[in-house]
Amino acid sequence: MDVRIGTTVDGRAAGFATSSARPLLLVGDVGRGKTTTARYLTRWWLANTRRHTHVYAQAPSEWADLRCEPEHPDQLEDPVGRDCRPGACLVVVDDMDLLDDSRISFLPLGRARTILTSHGGNSLAGRALLDSEVDCLGLVRPDHADPAEAAVLDGQGRLDWPIGTVAVIPDQRGPMDFPCHRWQAPAGAWAVAGAVGR
Ligand SMILES: [Zn+2]
């Protein structure tokens, strides 16, 4: 089953293939909805209370309202532990660009559902990740697109995105999917995020 996240330039539904072992990589410029989309998918995953997530984010507090204990990407080490029931984990790295090469091998590629976000593909080119199979969606803004996005909307590729990236206009999201602010976080969750530090 797929969770829909938006529409491709040629009008097809695009989403997260929940049964696929391939990581979902979301690329796009700042403000195109990468974190929002990743949060939406995480909320969907956690709606089944038998499942859990391991979140690594540049700004852990943006995730503090969700049932997870976000950490900075520097903290990534085997996220899927022995106590994790098979199939129960979703691993999210919000801002792959911060993950140094030595940590890439800790990604549970093919072992757990994985969602990654990145500003662009260039910073990932040549890194081990792209040698493996990923489903890459490039988020674009349909209105007031910048020239590179206008070209994408015309069906052209984009040099700073991985080859095979599918351009997607993300669906509008509600406030619960937007990055969380300090005053929106439950007190306990904020203490956890605060302890991790920025
Ligand atoms: Zn787990």
PDB file of all heavy atoms in Angstrom, residues 57-64 70-75 94-95 98 179-182 190-198:
ATOM      1  N   ALA A  57      17.523  14.415  13.196  1.00  0.00           N
ATOM      2  CA  ALA A  57      17.170  15.672  12.546  1.00  0.00           C
ATOM      3  C   ALA A  57      18.103  16.774  12.995  1.00  0.00           C
ATOM      4  O   ALA A  57      18.535  16.804  14.152  1.00  0.00           O
ATOM      5  CB  ALA A  57      15.729  16.054  12.878  1.00  0.00           C
ATOM      6  N   GLN A  58      18.362  17.689  12.083  1.00  0.00           N
ATOM      7  CA  GLN A  58      19.193  18.837  12.424  1.00  0.00           C
ATOM      8  C   GLN A  58      18.549  19.622  13.559  1.00  0.00           C
ATOM      9  O   GLN A  58      19.226  20.153  14.423  1.00  0.00           O
ATOM     10  CB  GLN A  58      19.363  19.727  11.197  1.00  0.00           C
ATOM     11  CG  GLN A  58      20.120  21.003  11.506  1.00  0.00           C
ATOM     12  CD  GLN A  58      20.281  21.874  10.290  1.00  0.00           C
ATOM     13  OE1 GLN A  58      19.496  21.789   9.350  1.00  0.00           O
ATOM     14  NE2 GLN A  58      21.294  22.704  10.294  1.00  0.00           N
ATOM     15  N   ALA A  59      17.221  19.716  13.502  1.00  0.00           N
ATOM     16  CA  ALA A  59      16.480  20.443  14.533  1.00  0.00           C
ATOM     17  C   ALA A  59      15.545  19.448  15.223  1.00  0.00           C
ATOM     18  O   ALA A  59      14.374  19.337  14.871  1.00  0.00           O
ATOM     19  CB  ALA A  59      15.684  21.574  13.903  1.00  0.00           C
ATOM     20  N   PRO A  60      16.056  18.706  16.213  1.00  0.00           N
ATOM     21  CA  PRO A  60      15.212  17.682  16.855  1.00  0.00           C
ATOM     22  C   PRO A  60      13.911  18.241  17.407  1.00  0.00           C
ATOM     23  O   PRO A  60      12.888  17.555  17.421  1.00  0.00           O
ATOM     24  CB  PRO A  60      16.103  17.142  17.974  1.00  0.00           C
ATOM     25  CG  PRO A  60      17.497  17.430  17.536  1.00  0.00           C
ATOM     26  CD  PRO A  60      17.412  18.722  16.766  1.00  0.00           C
ATOM     27  N   SER A  61      13.926  19.524  17.836  1.00  0.00           N
ATOM     28  CA  SER A  61      12.710  20.077  18.433  1.00  0.00           C
ATOM     29  C   SER A  61      11.562  20.135  17.429  1.00  0.00           C
ATOM     30  O   SER A  61      10.400  20.135  17.813  1.00  0.00           O
ATOM     31  CB  SER A  61      12.982  21.476  18.985  1.00  0.00           C
ATOM     32  OG  SER A  61      13.356  22.345  17.947  1.00  0.00           O
ATOM     33  N   GLU A  62      11.883  20.155  16.128  1.00  0.00           N
ATOM     34  CA  GLU A  62      10.811  20.198  15.129  1.00  0.00           C
ATOM     35  C   GLU A  62       9.998  18.909  15.116  1.00  0.00           C
ATOM     36  O   GLU A  62       8.966  18.825  14.476  1.00  0.00           O
ATOM     37  CB  GLU A  62      11.409  20.448  13.735  1.00  0.00           C
ATOM     38  CG  GLU A  62      12.024  21.834  13.605  1.00  0.00           C
ATOM     39  CD  GLU A  62      12.529  22.116  12.201  1.00  0.00           C
ATOM     40  OE1 GLU A  62      12.647  21.159  11.406  1.00  0.00           O
ATOM     41  OE2 GLU A  62      12.797  23.294  11.915  1.00  0.00           O
ATOM     42  N   TRP A  63      10.505  17.901  15.806  1.00  0.00           N
ATOM     43  CA  TRP A  63       9.848  16.599  15.847  1.00  0.00           C
ATOM     44  C   TRP A  63       9.328  16.271  17.244  1.00  0.00           C
ATOM     45  O   TRP A  63       8.840  15.170  17.490  1.00  0.00           O
ATOM     46  CB  TRP A  63      10.843  15.513  15.414  1.00  0.00           C
ATOM     47  CG  TRP A  63      11.260  15.657  14.003  1.00  0.00           C
ATOM     48  CD1 TRP A  63      12.151  16.573  13.500  1.00  0.00           C
ATOM     49  CD2 TRP A  63      10.809  14.888  12.885  1.00  0.00           C
ATOM     50  NE1 TRP A  63      12.273  16.402  12.140  1.00  0.00           N
ATOM     51  CE2 TRP A  63      11.463  15.379  11.744  1.00  0.00           C
ATOM     52  CE3 TRP A  63       9.912  13.822  12.753  1.00  0.00           C
ATOM     53  CZ2 TRP A  63      11.248  14.856  10.475  1.00  0.00           C
ATOM     54  CZ3 TRP A  63       9.698  13.295  11.490  1.00  0.00           C
ATOM     55  CH2 TRP A  63      10.362  13.814  10.367  1.00  0.00           C
ATOM     56  N   ALA A  64       9.449  17.204  18.169  1.00  0.00           N
ATOM     57  CA  ALA A  64       9.232  16.885  19.574  1.00  0.00           C
ATOM     58  C   ALA A  64       7.788  16.531  19.895  1.00  0.00           C
ATOM     59  O   ALA A  64       7.520  15.958  20.942  1.00  0.00           O
ATOM     60  CB  ALA A  64       9.685  18.052  20.440  1.00  0.00           C
ATOM     61  N   PRO A  70      13.866  12.321  18.973  1.00  0.00           N
ATOM     62  CA  PRO A  70      14.770  12.705  17.882  1.00  0.00           C
ATOM     63  C   PRO A  70      16.165  13.047  18.378  1.00  0.00           C
ATOM     64  O   PRO A  70      16.345  13.553  19.477  1.00  0.00           O
ATOM     65  CB  PRO A  70      14.081  13.943  17.287  1.00  0.00           C
ATOM     66  CG  PRO A  70      13.151  14.428  18.323  1.00  0.00           C
ATOM     67  CD  PRO A  70      12.797  13.283  19.198  1.00  0.00           C
ATOM     68  N   GLU A  71      17.130  12.719  17.540  1.00  0.00           N
ATOM     69  CA  GLU A  71      18.519  13.035  17.841  1.00  0.00           C
ATOM     70  C   GLU A  71      19.140  13.723  16.634  1.00  0.00           C
ATOM     71  O   GLU A  71      18.606  13.663  15.527  1.00  0.00           O
ATOM     72  CB  GLU A  71      19.300  11.747  18.128  1.00  0.00           C
ATOM     73  CG  GLU A  71      18.828  11.008  19.352  1.00  0.00           C
ATOM     74  CD  GLU A  71      19.747   9.832  19.655  1.00  0.00           C
ATOM     75  OE1 GLU A  71      20.710  10.046  20.382  1.00  0.00           O
ATOM     76  OE2 GLU A  71      19.494   8.742  19.127  1.00  0.00           O
ATOM     77  N   HIS A  72      20.289  14.336  16.839  1.00  0.00           N
ATOM     78  CA  HIS A  72      21.024  14.948  15.741  1.00  0.00           C
ATOM     79  C   HIS A  72      21.651  13.842  14.877  1.00  0.00           C
ATOM     80  O   HIS A  72      22.002  12.783  15.397  1.00  0.00           O
ATOM     81  CB  HIS A  72      22.106  15.868  16.307  1.00  0.00           C
ATOM     82  CG  HIS A  72      22.731  16.744  15.270  1.00  0.00           C
ATOM     83  ND1 HIS A  72      23.769  16.330  14.475  1.00  0.00           N
ATOM     84  CD2 HIS A  72      22.435  18.005  14.877  1.00  0.00           C
ATOM     85  CE1 HIS A  72      24.099  17.303  13.638  1.00  0.00           C
ATOM     86  NE2 HIS A  72      23.291  18.340  13.864  1.00  0.00           N
ATOM     87  N   PRO A  73      21.788  14.084  13.559  1.00  0.00           N
ATOM     88  CA  PRO A  73      22.392  13.055  12.697  1.00  0.00           C
ATOM     89  C   PRO A  73      23.775  12.590  13.161  1.00  0.00           C
ATOM     90  O   PRO A  73      24.185  11.461  12.883  1.00  0.00           O
ATOM     91  CB  PRO A  73      22.469  13.735  11.324  1.00  0.00           C
ATOM     92  CG  PRO A  73      21.341  14.716  11.337  1.00  0.00           C
ATOM     93  CD  PRO A  73      21.254  15.202  12.756  1.00  0.00           C
ATOM     94  N   ASP A  74      24.485  13.441  13.904  1.00  0.00           N
ATOM     95  CA  ASP A  74      25.785  13.023  14.458  1.00  0.00           C
ATOM     96  C   ASP A  74      25.660  11.802  15.353  1.00  0.00           C
ATOM     97  O   ASP A  74      26.650  11.128  15.635  1.00  0.00           O
ATOM     98  CB  ASP A  74      26.371  14.135  15.356  1.00  0.00           C
ATOM     99  CG  ASP A  74      26.879  15.292  14.545  1.00  0.00           C
ATOM    100  OD1 ASP A  74      26.984  15.134  13.328  1.00  0.00           O
ATOM    101  OD2 ASP A  74      27.157  16.339  15.151  1.00  0.00           O
ATOM    102  N   GLN A  75      24.459  11.595  15.877  1.00  0.00           N
ATOM    103  CA  GLN A  75      24.242  10.513  16.848  1.00  0.00           C
ATOM    104  C   GLN A  75      23.864   9.197  16.180  1.00  0.00           C
ATOM    105  O   GLN A  75      23.619   8.207  16.877  1.00  0.00           O
ATOM    106  CB  GLN A  75      23.109  10.903  17.822  1.00  0.00           C
ATOM    107  CG  GLN A  75      23.302  12.230  18.513  1.00  0.00           C
ATOM    108  CD  GLN A  75      24.505  12.200  19.433  1.00  0.00           C
ATOM    109  OE1 GLN A  75      24.721  11.246  20.157  1.00  0.00           O
ATOM    110  NE2 GLN A  75      25.315  13.257  19.367  1.00  0.00           N
ATOM    111  N   ASP A  94      16.348  13.480   8.753  1.00  0.00           N
ATOM    112  CA  ASP A  94      15.908  14.754   8.189  1.00  0.00           C
ATOM    113  C   ASP A  94      17.135  15.637   8.047  1.00  0.00           C
ATOM    114  O   ASP A  94      17.610  16.200   9.025  1.00  0.00           O
ATOM    115  CB  ASP A  94      14.870  15.404   9.119  1.00  0.00           C
ATOM    116  CG  ASP A  94      14.257  16.648   8.500  1.00  0.00           C
ATOM    117  OD1 ASP A  94      14.304  16.780   7.264  1.00  0.00           O
ATOM    118  OD2 ASP A  94      13.727  17.478   9.251  1.00  0.00           O
ATOM    119  N   ASP A  95      17.629  15.716   6.856  1.00  0.00           N
ATOM    120  CA  ASP A  95      18.843  16.421   6.465  1.00  0.00           C
ATOM    121  C   ASP A  95      20.054  15.492   6.407  1.00  0.00           C
ATOM    122  O   ASP A  95      20.953  15.516   7.236  1.00  0.00           O
ATOM    123  CB  ASP A  95      19.150  17.630   7.362  1.00  0.00           C
ATOM    124  CG  ASP A  95      19.883  18.703   6.550  1.00  0.00           C
ATOM    125  OD1 ASP A  95      20.451  18.335   5.494  1.00  0.00           O
ATOM    126  OD2 ASP A  95      19.877  19.874   6.943  1.00  0.00           O
ATOM    127  N   LEU A  98      23.888  16.429   6.589  1.00  0.00           N
ATOM    128  CA  LEU A  98      24.657  16.524   7.827  1.00  0.00           C
ATOM    129  C   LEU A  98      25.277  15.200   8.252  1.00  0.00           C
ATOM    130  O   LEU A  98      26.023  15.152   9.226  1.00  0.00           O
ATOM    131  CB  LEU A  98      23.746  17.015   8.966  1.00  0.00           C
ATOM    132  CG  LEU A  98      23.238  18.425   8.825  1.00  0.00           C
ATOM    133  CD1 LEU A  98      22.297  18.736   9.965  1.00  0.00           C
ATOM    134  CD2 LEU A  98      24.398  19.393   8.805  1.00  0.00           C
ATOM    135  N   PRO A 179       6.763  21.553  10.786  1.00  0.00           N
ATOM    136  CA  PRO A 179       7.727  21.410  11.876  1.00  0.00           C
ATOM    137  C   PRO A 179       7.204  22.039  13.148  1.00  0.00           C
ATOM    138  O   PRO A 179       6.574  23.089  13.133  1.00  0.00           O
ATOM    139  CB  PRO A 179       8.956  22.146  11.344  1.00  0.00           C
ATOM    140  CG  PRO A 179       8.848  21.999   9.857  1.00  0.00           C
ATOM    141  CD  PRO A 179       7.369  22.059   9.557  1.00  0.00           C
ATOM    142  N   CYS A 180       7.443  21.344  14.256  1.00  0.00           N
ATOM    143  CA  CYS A 180       6.877  21.735  15.542  1.00  0.00           C
ATOM    144  C   CYS A 180       7.701  22.851  16.178  1.00  0.00           C
ATOM    145  O   CYS A 180       8.925  22.865  16.088  1.00  0.00           O
ATOM    146  CB  CYS A 180       6.893  20.500  16.436  1.00  0.00           C
ATOM    147  SG  CYS A 180       6.504  20.802  18.130  1.00  0.00           S
ATOM    148  N   HIS A 181       7.011  23.776  16.806  1.00  0.00           N
ATOM    149  CA  HIS A 181       7.692  24.817  17.574  1.00  0.00           C
ATOM    150  C   HIS A 181       7.686  24.445  19.045  1.00  0.00           C
ATOM    151  O   HIS A 181       6.880  23.653  19.500  1.00  0.00           O
ATOM    152  CB  HIS A 181       7.008  26.173  17.373  1.00  0.00           C
ATOM    153  CG  HIS A 181       7.161  26.685  15.991  1.00  0.00           C
ATOM    154  ND1 HIS A 181       8.358  27.142  15.491  1.00  0.00           N
ATOM    155  CD2 HIS A 181       6.276  26.768  14.964  1.00  0.00           C
ATOM    156  CE1 HIS A 181       8.209  27.511  14.233  1.00  0.00           C
ATOM    157  NE2 HIS A 181       6.957  27.292  13.883  1.00  0.00           N
ATOM    158  N   ARG A 182       8.565  25.090  19.775  1.00  0.00           N
ATOM    159  CA  ARG A 182       8.739  24.803  21.195  1.00  0.00           C
ATOM    160  C   ARG A 182       7.413  24.814  21.951  1.00  0.00           C
ATOM    161  O   ARG A 182       7.141  23.938  22.762  1.00  0.00           O
ATOM    162  CB  ARG A 182       9.676  25.853  21.781  1.00  0.00           C
ATOM    163  CG  ARG A 182      10.032  25.649  23.224  1.00  0.00           C
ATOM    164  CD  ARG A 182      10.776  26.864  23.740  1.00  0.00           C
ATOM    165  NE  ARG A 182      12.155  26.914  23.292  1.00  0.00           N
ATOM    166  CZ  ARG A 182      13.185  26.557  24.042  1.00  0.00           C
ATOM    167  NH1 ARG A 182      12.988  26.114  25.252  1.00  0.00           N
ATOM    168  NH2 ARG A 182      14.407  26.631  23.589  1.00  0.00           N
ATOM    169  N   TRP A 190       9.420  17.771  24.987  1.00  0.00           N
ATOM    170  CA  TRP A 190      10.388  18.843  24.819  1.00  0.00           C
ATOM    171  C   TRP A 190      11.629  18.589  25.685  1.00  0.00           C
ATOM    172  O   TRP A 190      12.755  18.847  25.278  1.00  0.00           O
ATOM    173  CB  TRP A 190       9.762  20.195  25.175  1.00  0.00           C
ATOM    174  CG  TRP A 190      10.787  21.266  25.139  1.00  0.00           C
ATOM    175  CD1 TRP A 190      11.311  21.932  26.185  1.00  0.00           C
ATOM    176  CD2 TRP A 190      11.466  21.753  23.980  1.00  0.00           C
ATOM    177  NE1 TRP A 190      12.269  22.804  25.765  1.00  0.00           N
ATOM    178  CE2 TRP A 190      12.385  22.709  24.416  1.00  0.00           C
ATOM    179  CE3 TRP A 190      11.391  21.444  22.614  1.00  0.00           C
ATOM    180  CZ2 TRP A 190      13.232  23.393  23.535  1.00  0.00           C
ATOM    181  CZ3 TRP A 190      12.231  22.107  21.739  1.00  0.00           C
ATOM    182  CH2 TRP A 190      13.129  23.073  22.198  1.00  0.00           C
ATOM    183  N   ALA A 191      11.419  18.057  26.882  1.00  0.00           N
ATOM    184  CA  ALA A 191      12.561  17.769  27.753  1.00  0.00           C
ATOM    185  C   ALA A 191      13.513  16.804  27.059  1.00  0.00           C
ATOM    186  O   ALA A 191      14.727  16.964  27.109  1.00  0.00           O
ATOM    187  CB  ALA A 191      12.082  17.197  29.071  1.00  0.00           C
ATOM    188  N   VAL A 192      12.940  15.819  26.369  1.00  0.00           N
ATOM    189  CA  VAL A 192      13.787  14.854  25.665  1.00  0.00           C
ATOM    190  C   VAL A 192      14.560  15.553  24.558  1.00  0.00           C
ATOM    191  O   VAL A 192      15.776  15.430  24.447  1.00  0.00           O
ATOM    192  CB  VAL A 192      12.913  13.724  25.071  1.00  0.00           C
ATOM    193  CG1 VAL A 192      13.713  12.905  24.084  1.00  0.00           C
ATOM    194  CG2 VAL A 192      12.380  12.843  26.194  1.00  0.00           C
ATOM    195  N   ALA A 193      13.835  16.345  23.758  1.00  0.00           N
ATOM    196  CA  ALA A 193      14.502  17.012  22.640  1.00  0.00           C
ATOM    197  C   ALA A 193      15.526  18.007  23.167  1.00  0.00           C
ATOM    198  O   ALA A 193      16.609  18.152  22.615  1.00  0.00           O
ATOM    199  CB  ALA A 193      13.466  17.722  21.777  1.00  0.00           C
ATOM    200  N   GLY A 194      15.185  18.691  24.273  1.00  0.00           N
ATOM    201  CA  GLY A 194      16.103  19.671  24.819  1.00  0.00           C
ATOM    202  C   GLY A 194      17.369  19.024  25.345  1.00  0.00           C
ATOM    203  O   GLY A 194      18.455  19.581  25.236  1.00  0.00           O
ATOM    204  N   ALA A 195      17.214  17.821  25.889  1.00  0.00           N
ATOM    205  CA  ALA A 195      18.375  17.135  26.438  1.00  0.00           C
ATOM    206  C   ALA A 195      19.369  16.772  25.342  1.00  0.00           C
ATOM    207  O   ALA A 195      20.566  16.712  25.566  1.00  0.00           O
ATOM    208  CB  ALA A 195      17.927  15.880  27.176  1.00  0.00           C
ATOM    209  N   VAL A 196      18.840  16.537  24.161  1.00  0.00           N
ATOM    210  CA  VAL A 196      19.711  16.154  23.052  1.00  0.00           C
ATOM    211  C   VAL A 196      20.534  17.355  22.612  1.00  0.00           C
ATOM    212  O   VAL A 196      21.692  17.234  22.228  1.00  0.00           O
ATOM    213  CB  VAL A 196      18.869  15.591  21.883  1.00  0.00           C
ATOM    214  CG1 VAL A 196      19.717  15.406  20.652  1.00  0.00           C
ATOM    215  CG2 VAL A 196      18.218  14.288  22.299  1.00  0.00           C
ATOM    216  N   GLY A 197      19.910  18.526  22.694  1.00  0.00           N
ATOM    217  CA  GLY A 197      20.653  19.744  22.342  1.00  0.00           C
ATOM    218  C   GLY A 197      20.649  19.998  20.853  1.00  0.00           C
ATOM    219  O   GLY A 197      20.247  19.174  20.058  1.00  0.00           O
ATOM    220  N   ARG A 198      21.079  21.202  20.492  1.00  0.00           N
ATOM    221  CA  ARG A 198      21.108  21.555  19.083  1.00  0.00           C
ATOM    222  C   ARG A 198      22.532  21.771  18.637  1.00  0.00           C
ATOM    223  O   ARG A 198      23.200  22.557  19.207  1.00  0.00           O
ATOM    224  CB  ARG A 198      20.354  22.869  18.876  1.00  0.00           C
ATOM    225  CG  ARG A 198      18.901  22.800  19.293  1.00  0.00           C
ATOM    226  CD  ARG A 198      18.046  22.251  18.222  1.00  0.00           C
ATOM    227  NE  ARG A 198      18.190  23.075  16.990  1.00  0.00           N
ATOM    228  CZ  ARG A 198      17.318  23.990  16.624  1.00  0.00           C
ATOM    229  NH1 ARG A 198      16.268  24.225  17.361  1.00  0.00           N
ATOM    230  NH2 ARG A 198      17.488  24.655  15.507  1.00  0.00           N
TER     231      ARG A 198
END
